[in-house]
Amino acid sequence: MLGEQIGEEQGETTGIRVLSTDGGHPVMEASFQAAGTLLGVEVKDMGTYESVVRADGTLFGEGQGVSMAKDGETVTWHGSGVGRFDEAGAIEWRGALFFETVAPTFARLTGIAGLFEFRVEENGKATAKLYEWK
């Protein structure tokens, strides 16, 4: 069941690389940095994901990253999702994140899946919301 919103952030793309163009399906890597909140704690988030453009024009992506609180507590994440281009050239992603941490502040995350909405504008600016899935 979809639960409460547990995170929100704003950031930007910091780099893009083309990894492959084999078979006419480009595979790209993107990195980003963002700031926001996770479980009510201010965090800086950074991650990298690979995405492939599929035959129908949608994207499939997988990535990993780390969120860090000001006091140094960290939580790492791995995730995957599906993206779609909108008419303005932005990409709307939907998917799931899975967490790992030893930090007491973020311990609850290791037992849930986080469902995300991630939007990357054509200019690289990004926004995200994260929801608990129980």
Side-chain angles (χ1 to χ4, degrees):
M1 169 182 226
L2 187 62
E4 68 179 284
Q5 182 176 331
I6 58 172
E8 188 169 26
E9 64 185 32
Q10 297 80 41
E12 63 186 328
T13 302
T14 58
I16 299 174
R17 292 188 325 152
V18 176
L19 300 178
S20 172
T21 57
D22 294 342
H25 299 283
V27 178
M28 301 194 330
E29 175 185 85
S31 294
F32 69 91
Q33 290 184 338
T37 60
L38 183 59
L39 297 179
V41 176
E42 287 186 33
V43 295
K44 293 205 180 213
D45 188 31
M46 61 190 84
T48 301
Y49 59 93
E50 286 185 21
S51 59
V52 60
V53 179
R54 301 186 294 188
D56 66 355
T58 62
L59 302 161
F60 174 76
E62 294 182 298
Q64 58 191 350
V66 61
S67 297
M68 292 188 275
K70 289 181 180 180
D71 65 3
E73 288 192 332
T74 63
V75 58
T76 60
W77 53 265
H78 290 83
S80 59
V82 175
R84 290 181 172 73
F85 290 94
D86 73 7
E87 56 281 342
I91 303 172
E92 293 274 353
W93 289 93
R94 301 293 184 268
L97 298 179
F98 304 95
F99 304 93
E100 188 171 347
T101 187
V102 295
T105 302
F106 301 117
R108 128 177 199 214
L109 296 174
T110 61
I112 67 165
L115 299 182
F116 66 82
E117 300 173 345
F118 185 70
R119 179 178 172 88
V120 183
E121 302 294 338
E122 188 175 1
N123 65 5
K125 299 293 184 190
T127 57
K129 291 184 180 180
L130 182 65
Y131 301 88
E132 180 177 13
W133 187 19
K134 300 179 182 182

